[in-house]
Amino acid sequence: LVPEAAVVVYGDGTIQDILVTGDVRAQVRELGPVSKTVPVAAPGFIMPGLVDCHIHAPQYAFTGTGLDLPLMGPHGWLETYTFPVERRMVMDMAHAVRVYSAVVKRTLRSGTTTAAYFGTLHLLPTKALVVILQHYGQRALVGKVCMDRHSPENYCQPLEENLRETQEFVAFCPPTMPTAPGAAALVQPCITPRFVPACSSELQRGLASLAEEHGGLHIQTHVAESIDEVAFCRLLDEREPTCPGYGRDASILDAHGLLTSKTILAHGCHLSPAEITLLAARSSSVAHCPLSNAYFADAVLPVRRLLEAGVRVGLGSDVAGGYEPSMLAAIRACVISSKFLQAGVDHYDHIGGPTTSGPGGPVTSTGGPSPGALEGRNRSSPPASTHGEPPLKRGRPSGGGVGGAANNLREPSEVGFKEAFFLATAGGARALAMEDTVGSLEVGQAFDALVVQPGRSSQRSGLDLFPGDSLETAVEKFLHCGDDRDISQVYVQGRQVLCDGAFDCDDIQVDAVLQALSARTGSEGKVEPN
């Protein structure tokens, strides 16, 4: 944090100096010609931009709704809400542009300067997301989602089409910035298998090969997200001779080469101790999404346990499984959920070993889920274990009430607001393997930053400051009570993308997006808006 000071920025958008004492103007003059100086006066401060390690761009269309169902199953959240909304993006490009513009603008207003986005199954709207991100200036990882099995017939692609379109998407994203050829582009491609249940062994191997062939691209997917997803992976594992006996999606991903130092795994609430050790060994990261976990996971991620095991952790909004796109909400939910965990809800009491119990009842080793749809288990009937591990269950362990004897023996789990703030900034940058570029305010790093004026009189605000309040008090109030009204400026790579609620560019129109796609991709980009 930089209080009552100025940040001096080079023309390429990196930090040249931070002036914190004395006559700032005189110090700037001594530096000679500079590109930009960003000052701040008390009680304001400059902070690193927020990093969202997991967000679904198309799902912003139904954010705040549809949280009444379990994740999987023929009548689950994916089938009922998510897949139809994502499929509409390719059927109605005008709608896709509106939704993608809205989510990029909303997250920037909320202080998210870097985000890891899932697009959709289809190539064209995912390319449109890249164009929109470049227009508004948000740093991002973007992935064309891949699915080739156990998905609706109208939202699934053959193996070859998934691989071909992913290859084309990678080629669509420029590797470096035009203004700084040696620096990585603001928007980078990310290999994106949706999750193990929707991706065949051949698809997983093919995507791992693509990531390696292109110099080690980022990879993002979901892991150990919910009871029904974990159970489904066990069922699939029993049927797949390519990975016999693994039984857990983290191990299956690893067997296919998808766990790397640039892999971001969303959720992880049901990771076993062995899987946590595996992720640490592979230097893979977990995107902690506390809001959506409350709705779908039936467990709380033990953040401190992962960190102490050497696993990198960042925070994610997980729109629309999480109903709030602001990372301030993720910070708050991270703290709250950790308190629940400390009080007596432990993730390992919710998970067990591989099981032969599947959707709709027990199955034999030759049986399994029907191939037409993602099928899960209703969260009211968790599967039993057949491998000697505790069965999946819910509720507080016996004797684990607040203040009880069992609670006194628990490992420390609580995460404070300062640690949660770290996870949303520097920790998130580490989770995305971008710590050399963003996440903190240091000389040489990209100037991705927010100028915060908490409780400023020119805007209505969710907080009040009083005489004698310290900088730490102002920061703490902002993290707990603040919102976009307290953020006066947003910078990405030194570009002031937002000032007092106004963007530095006009809204991008559908025709402009389609023209950009046509210019960069040829005839495929010539799609008429519906």
Side-chain angles (χ1 to χ4, degrees):
L1 299 175
V2 179
E4 292 193 86
V7 177
V8 182
V9 183
Y10 282 116
D12 64 358
T14 59
I15 297 173
Q16 178 180 356
D17 205 347
I18 299 175
L19 311 177
V20 295
T21 60
D23 187 340
V24 169
R25 292 184 180 180
Q27 293 180 68
V28 170
R29 286 195 297 269
E30 291 176 6
L31 288 173
V34 297
S35 175
K36 183 179 300 181
T37 303
V38 182
V40 64
F45 54 89
I46 301 175
M47 59 171 274
L50 298 168
V51 179
D52 189 341
C53 293
H54 184 66
I55 177 171
H56 294 262
Q59 294 177 22
Y60 185 70
F62 69 102
T63 297
T65 68
L67 296 171
D68 56 322
L69 298 174
L71 180 68
M72 298 173 67
H75 304 293
W77 186 77
L78 290 172
E79 295 272 6
T80 304
Y81 301 115
T82 303
F83 293 158
V85 165
E86 292 187 5
R87 188 170 60 247
R88 183 182 174 186
M89 297 300 159
V90 75
M91 301 168 61
D92 187 347
M93 283 295 293
H95 177 68
V97 171
R98 285 191 292 268
V99 171
Y100 289 165
S101 296
V103 69
V104 172
K105 292 168 67 178
R106 175 68 64 184
T107 52
L108 278 172
R109 282 196 190 98
S110 301
T112 299
T113 54
T114 300
Y117 284 106
F118 275 55
T120 71
L121 182 70
H122 297 103
L123 178 61
L124 191 64
T126 307
K127 287 181 176 180
L129 175 58
V130 172
V131 171
I132 291 165
L133 285 161
Q134 292 169 336
H135 177 77
Y136 288 106
Q138 189 175 50
R139 190 183 304 275
L141 299 174
V142 179
K144 178 259 180 227
V145 175
C146 294
M147 306 158 61
D148 72 337
R149 67 173 181 180
H150 302 307
S151 305
E153 290 185 4
N154 60 3
Y155 200 60
C156 191
Q157 287 181 334
L159 168 68
E160 296 77 10
E161 188 174 1
N162 274 288
L163 295 176
R164 176 180 55 79
E165 289 198 347
T166 298
Q167 179 77 271
E168 184 174 339
F169 179 71
V170 171
F172 178 81
C173 299
T176 60
M177 287 188 292
T179 55
L186 283 183
V187 183
Q188 301 177 39
C190 187
I191 301 299
T192 307
R194 188 172 209 113
F195 59 173
V196 167
C199 297
S200 68
S201 181
E202 293 79 9
L203 179 56
Q204 292 180 63
R205 291 191 190 280
L207 292 174
S209 295
L210 276 176
E212 185 176 4
E213 289 168 7
H214 289 275
L217 294 176
H218 285 84
I219 299 168
Q220 61 181 352
T221 188
H222 302 80
V223 71
E225 177 176 1
S226 65
I227 288 177
D228 41 13
E229 186 264 343
V230 171
F232 195 34
C233 285
R234 294 172 183 163
L235 284 170
L236 291 172
D237 185 60
E238 292 177 357
R239 300 181 61 194
E240 294 182 352
T242 53
C243 297
Y246 286 105
R248 307 284 304 188
D249 48 358
S251 298
I252 293 170
L253 292 167
D254 185 53
H256 291 89
L258 288 168
L259 292 189
T260 74
S261 62
K262 296 176 76 172
T263 296
I264 309 105
L265 302 164
H267 306 292
C269 293
H270 297 279
L271 290 168
S272 69
E275 288 177 296
I276 293 173
T277 300
L278 174 63
L279 298 190
R282 299 290 182 266
S283 298
S284 298
S285 303
V286 170
H288 177 32
C289 307
L291 265 181
S292 62
N293 291 347
Y295 286 93
F296 299 109
D298 289 310
V300 177
L301 182 74
V303 174
R304 190 171 296 284
R305 186 182 303 167
L306 267 65
L307 292 172
E308 291 177 353
V311 178
R312 295 177 298 180
V313 179
L315 293 184
S317 64
D318 193 28
V319 164
Y323 58 78
E324 171 58 70
S326 170
M327 291 305 296
L328 293 173
I331 290 172
R332 296 159 192 166
C334 175
V335 173
I336 292 169
S337 63
S338 76
K339 288 181 175 291
F340 291 153
L341 185 61
Q342 181 72 40
V345 181
D346 191 289
H347 89 296
Y348 201 71
D349 292 297
H350 294 248
I351 68 172
T355 179
T356 56
S357 180
V363 297
T364 66
S365 59
T366 58
S370 60
L374 286 168
E375 294 189 8
R377 169 171 298 277
N378 187 290
R379 47 176 80 166
S380 64
S381 54
S385 170
T386 60
H387 289 257
E389 294 187 19
L392 294 162
K393 61 183 179 179
R394 295 169 186 78
R396 188 187 305 278
S398 177
V402 177
N407 187 55
N408 293 333
L409 299 177
R410 290 188 175 278
E411 63 180 305
S413 301
E414 190 171 338
V415 175
F417 79 91
K418 294 180 182 179
E419 295 166 301
F421 173 69
F422 172 84
L423 296 179
T425 52
R430 290 180 183 179
L432 299 185
M434 293 184 177
E435 65 269 28
D436 292 338
T437 304
V438 298
S440 60
L441 299 178
E442 299 179 35
V443 172
Q445 286 226 324
F447 187 57
D448 288 20
L450 315 179
V451 178
V452 180
Q453 298 287 353
R456 55 189 178 141
S457 58
S458 61
Q459 298 279 343
R460 292 186 177 182
S461 175
L463 63 89
D464 293 290
L465 294 179
F466 299 97
D469 282 350
S470 64
L471 170 66
E472 183 165 332
T473 297
V475 173
E476 187 173 2
K477 285 188 174 183
F478 170 67
L479 294 179
H480 286 119
C481 306
D483 55 34
D484 59 297
R485 293 170 295 182
D486 301 294
I487 301 172
S488 63
Q489 299 171 58
V490 178
Y491 291 84
V492 180
Q493 196 69 37
R495 169 185 167 186
Q496 187 188 65
V497 298
L498 189 74
C499 182
D500 290 328
F503 287 91
D504 73 335
C505 57
D506 294 331
D507 286 344
I508 192 167
Q509 303 301 313
V510 177
D511 288 345
V513 174
L514 296 179
Q515 289 171 7
L517 292 175
S518 179
R520 291 171 59 175
T521 63
S523 60
E524 184 185 2
K526 298 177 182 178
V527 177
E528 294 297 326
N530 295 325

